[in-house]
Amino acid sequence: MAPTHRVAAIQFEVKPVAPEENHARACTLIREAAAQGAELAVLPEFHLNGFAPTNPLYATQATTSPHYLKSYQALATELSISIVPGTFLEQHADPTPPSTTQPHPPNEDKNKITNHYYNKAYFIGPDGSILGSYIKRNLWISERGFISPPPASQAAGPARYPVFDTPIGRVGMLVCWDLAFPEAFRALIAAGAEVVIVPTYWTNNDASPALRAINPSCEPLFLSSILTSRCYENTCGIIFANVSGSASDSPDSSSSSGKYIGMSRVVMPIVGTVKTLDAREGVCVADMDMGLLKLAEENYCIRGDVKGQKWIS
Amino acid sequence: MAPTHRVAAIQFEVKPVAPEENHARACTLIREAAAQGAELAVLPEFHLNGFAPTNPLYATQATTSPHYLKSYQALATELSISIVPGTFLEQHADPTPPSTTQPHPPNEDKNKITNHYYNKAYFIGPDGSILGSYIKRNLWISERGFISPPPASQAAGPARYPVFDTPIGRVGMLVCWDLAFPEAFRALIAAGAEVVIVPTYWTNNDASPALRAINPSCEPLFLSSILTSRCYENTCGIIFANVSGSASDSPDSSSSSGKYIGMSRVVMPIVGTVKTLDAREGVCVADMDMGLLKLAEENYCIRGDVKGQKWIS
């Protein structure tokens, strides 16, 4: 019998530049997930302070991520649960140039050692240890003026898209806009990833007014089709945790209204969406049947073909 | 104003080893499409004789494709319509070994010059000329004992996934199981394809009974998610023509019942499915608004990023 893992994708409305408040909310929801028997809880991208690069507080807060990371490590140990605390905005003083020609943060003195801001995810095991990390590579357009892709030392090879063993199987992590690039998934499954964890800050406003006038559900359609598609085309499971609106702010749960999409979900091949949330705050607890991956591979042989580079070469 | 092209995806129940009957049906449906103003009509994969490799007649019929190709060229000229006559099973006597180690067709004398069977699509322009062709590369598992991938001369470079100019824009063609491989789409859009045409012979039975017991709509879910996803992730349009059941054989139009899926459709980014059929025979006539591609690229910049190899490298 293949194992089944109970996992939780957590979504809530992230308040800009309010890390203490967001951290407290996240901890409450992680406790809810643990109470429902989840082995793993995943938070959204930028879950501590949102995305507010023009706010003077924002860059300062990028130095506080080690403090919050330690707090989540302690919580993981206390609850004996794995935690992916979405992503942190992290400041790194890095004497080496970034791997692409990113513009510098606007408020930076170019004569100093370059400070890079990374968008970074961690996987914390149930004993509090850090089992893996990933710096977002495929930056969304509005991030590109402020956040750097990984440093040159991680520009190639397995470090590009790291894969590591966890209590729920072999895991890779991607962040938000990485979803649009099938190449990122291919690199992970070539290294044996069974589950891909995707913290996200994806809103309806990522489509321009022109696009939303044509289809108000433009972004939810993008997400729902691509998440299911990635599971089929790579024979992997996905845990997707997105930001949401608060329940009181979003009385209409339709994902096509307002800024927030939510849709945090667990997706697998064969069945597609195992369980999903609407646009409102919540904890999506779902059982991932790892046997589905074996059955899908027996039928489609995609991982075997990709590994052999036989049919796509 | 970006142009809008009226196109037709045609589906019908292909009778095994009955090319004359299938050809006649196809011609009737192409005339219907032309009467509705379509500039292009696309038929399903193996539309002349189905997939019946164990039938002794099947290999023999692979020699008749030039006859039917000429007939479609004449029809294109008569109606002044572009036609993609699905795919032909074609026999080629080829002294060079195939590009991968395919097993030989079971009834072949290994001492003779090797006969290869290809699964080949053509694009016929409205003046009857052949504007492009493509030999299916990513063969479905049951094809691999009988059909060869393209010859070694087409194993690399632009010939691998050819792209060509047509009255509806720059076009690439893929066939059926190619859909599962995002790499194939990436090769096409790197060469500038705006529309990808996909003749298909995809049935519910491509999922094993074990998979269908878990989700009777396993294959329709695969197809619907991947077609929309490919349009978003590549900023392209897709014309998808699949085999179907006859109307009388499929009184229940639900795509999860019976052998046939149908679902022939036109798909674009932003809007997803422009128009679709259910599992029954028919002609799906839809207007492709090429302006959607421009709007999508302005918003997502995916083709620009892929071309620059900037974010995915």
Side-chain angles (χ1 to χ4, degrees):
Chain A
M1 277 291 283
T4 294
H5 296 295
R6 181 164 290 186
V7 300
I10 288 171
Q11 65 182 32
F12 62 96
E13 184 170 350
V14 174
K15 304 280 192 304
V17 295
E20 264 308 299
E21 189 181 340
N22 292 320
H23 177 59
R25 189 81 201 115
C27 289
T28 300
L29 294 169
I30 291 169
R31 287 181 188 279
E32 273 186 40
Q36 292 184 51
E39 299 169 55
L40 164 68
V42 181
L43 301 173
E45 186 185 16
F46 292 140
H47 78 286
L48 280 178
N49 43 9
F51 185 64
T54 58
N55 187 312
L57 280 174
Y58 196 64
T60 311
Q61 289 174 351
T63 62
T64 64
S65 73
H67 162 70
Y68 290 105
L69 182 57
K70 274 188 193 137
S71 171
Y72 287 119
Q73 288 177 280
L75 186 63
T77 310
E78 179 200 329
L79 301 174
S80 193
I81 189 175
S82 296
I83 299 175
V84 173
T87 66
F88 296 104
L89 178 73
E90 286 197 358
Q91 180 182 309
H92 288 258
D94 185 352
T96 63
S99 60
T100 70
T101 56
Q102 290 291 313
H104 291 161
N107 55 352
E108 191 181 22
D109 179 350
K110 286 174 189 168
N111 297 322
K112 290 195 302 185
I113 288 177
T114 306
N115 281 328
H116 293 295
Y117 298 92
Y118 296 134
N119 186 352
K120 190 166 180 180
Y122 293 90
F123 190 108
I124 303 167
D127 64 352
S129 62
I130 292 169
L131 302 183
S133 67
Y134 167 68
I135 297 173
K136 185 180 184 180
R137 186 160 204 89
N138 297 288
L139 300 172
W140 175 238
I141 297 161
S142 59
E143 289 180 291
R144 296 179 192 178
F146 184 74
I147 293 172
S148 295
S153 59
Q154 292 180 30
R160 209 169 44 129
Y161 292 108
V163 169
F164 43 90
D165 292 313
T166 79
I168 67 152
R170 202 155 169 80
V171 161
M173 296 191 291
L174 295 174
V175 178
C176 205
W177 189 234
D178 283 326
L179 266 177
F181 294 85
E183 294 84 352
F185 273 82
R186 281 295 205 244
L188 291 176
I189 69 154
E194 299 165 289
V195 177
V196 179
I197 295 172
V198 189
T200 304
Y201 195 103
W202 199 307
T203 74
N204 283 311
N205 296 349
D206 291 322
S208 67
L211 267 57
R212 280 179 281 142
I214 294 168
N215 180 13
S217 294
C218 177
E219 296 304 301
L221 177 65
F222 193 157
L223 284 173
S224 62
S225 60
I226 216 155
L227 287 166
T228 297
S229 178
R230 293 281 178 262
C231 288
Y232 270 102
E233 79 196 24
N234 295 295
T235 319
C236 68
I238 295 179
I239 306 167
F240 172 78
N242 194 15
V243 286
S244 72
S246 63
S248 57
D249 288 347
S250 301
D252 175 4
S253 67
S254 160
S255 58
S256 63
S257 67
K259 177 181 174 187
Y260 290 108
I261 300 177
M263 285 178 45
S264 294
R265 57 182 59 186
V266 173
V267 196
M268 295 290 277
I270 304 172
V271 296
T273 304
V274 177
K275 200 167 174 188
T276 186
L277 298 178
D278 58 23
R280 292 170 295 188
E281 179 174 297
V283 180
C284 177
V285 177
D287 292 325
M288 298 187 84
D289 176 359
M290 305 300 279
L292 291 172
L293 302 183
K294 186 166 173 286
L295 283 172
E297 180 59 16
E298 282 170 3
N299 198 74
Y300 300 116
C301 304
I302 289 178
R303 294 170 81 103
D305 282 351
V306 169
K307 201 170 181 183
Q309 291 280 320
K310 207 169 179 178
W311 307 101
I312 57 167
S313 64
Chain B
M1 277 288 284
T4 294
H5 296 294
R6 182 163 291 185
V7 300
I10 288 171
Q11 64 183 33
F12 62 96
E13 184 170 349
V14 174
K15 303 282 190 306
V17 297
E20 266 307 299
E21 189 180 340
N22 292 319
H23 177 59
R25 189 81 201 115
C27 290
T28 300
L29 294 168
I30 291 169
R31 288 181 187 280
E32 273 187 38
Q36 292 184 51
E39 300 169 54
L40 164 68
V42 181
L43 301 173
E45 185 185 16
F46 292 140
H47 79 286
L48 280 178
N49 43 10
F51 185 64
T54 57
N55 187 312
L57 279 174
Y58 196 64
T60 310
Q61 290 174 351
T63 61
T64 64
S65 71
H67 162 70
Y68 291 104
L69 181 59
K70 275 187 194 139
S71 170
Y72 287 120
Q73 289 178 277
L75 186 63
T77 311
E78 178 200 329
L79 301 174
S80 195
I81 189 174
S82 296
I83 300 174
V84 174
T87 67
F88 296 105
L89 178 73
E90 286 197 358
Q91 180 182 307
H92 288 257
D94 185 353
T96 64
S99 62
T100 70
T101 55
Q102 290 290 312
H104 293 160
N107 55 352
E108 191 182 23
D109 179 348
K110 286 174 190 168
N111 296 321
K112 289 195 302 184
I113 287 177
T114 306
N115 280 327
H116 293 296
Y117 298 92
Y118 296 134
N119 186 351
K120 190 166 180 180
Y122 293 90
F123 191 107
I124 303 168
D127 64 352
S129 63
I130 291 168
L131 302 183
S133 67
Y134 168 67
I135 297 173
K136 183 179 183 180
R137 186 160 203 90
N138 296 288
L139 301 173
W140 174 239
I141 299 162
S142 59
E143 288 179 291
R144 296 179 192 177
F146 183 74
I147 293 173
S148 294
S153 59
Q154 292 181 29
R160 209 169 45 128
Y161 292 109
V163 169
F164 44 91
D165 292 313
T166 80
I168 67 153
R170 202 156 168 78
V171 161
M173 296 192 289
L174 295 174
V175 179
C176 204
W177 189 233
D178 282 326
L179 266 178
F181 294 85
E183 294 84 353
F185 274 82
R186 281 296 205 244
L188 291 175
I189 68 153
E194 299 165 289
V195 177
V196 180
I197 295 173
V198 190
T200 303
Y201 195 104
W202 198 307
T203 74
N204 283 310
N205 296 349
D206 291 322
S208 66
L211 267 58
R212 279 179 281 143
I214 295 168
N215 179 13
S217 293
C218 176
E219 296 304 300
L221 176 65
F222 193 157
L223 284 174
S224 62
S225 60
I226 217 155
L227 287 166
T228 298
S229 178
R230 292 282 178 263
C231 288
Y232 270 102
E233 80 196 24
N234 296 294
T235 319
C236 68
I238 296 179
I239 307 168
F240 172 79
N242 194 14
V243 286
S244 72
S246 63
S248 56
D249 288 348
S250 301
D252 175 4
S253 67
S254 158
S255 58
S256 63
S257 67
K259 177 181 174 187
Y260 290 108
I261 299 176
M263 283 177 46
S264 293
R265 58 181 60 186
V266 172
V267 196
M268 295 291 276
I270 305 172
V271 295
T273 304
V274 177
K275 200 166 174 189
T276 185
L277 298 178
D278 59 21
R280 292 169 296 187
E281 179 173 296
V283 180
C284 177
V285 177
D287 291 325
M288 297 187 84
D289 176 359
M290 304 301 279
L292 292 171
L293 302 183
K294 186 167 173 287
L295 283 171
E297 181 60 16
E298 283 169 4
N299 198 74
Y300 300 117
C301 304
I302 289 178
R303 293 170 81 103
D305 282 352
V306 168
K307 201 169 180 183
Q309 290 281 319
K310 206 167 179 180
W311 308 101
I312 58 165
S313 64

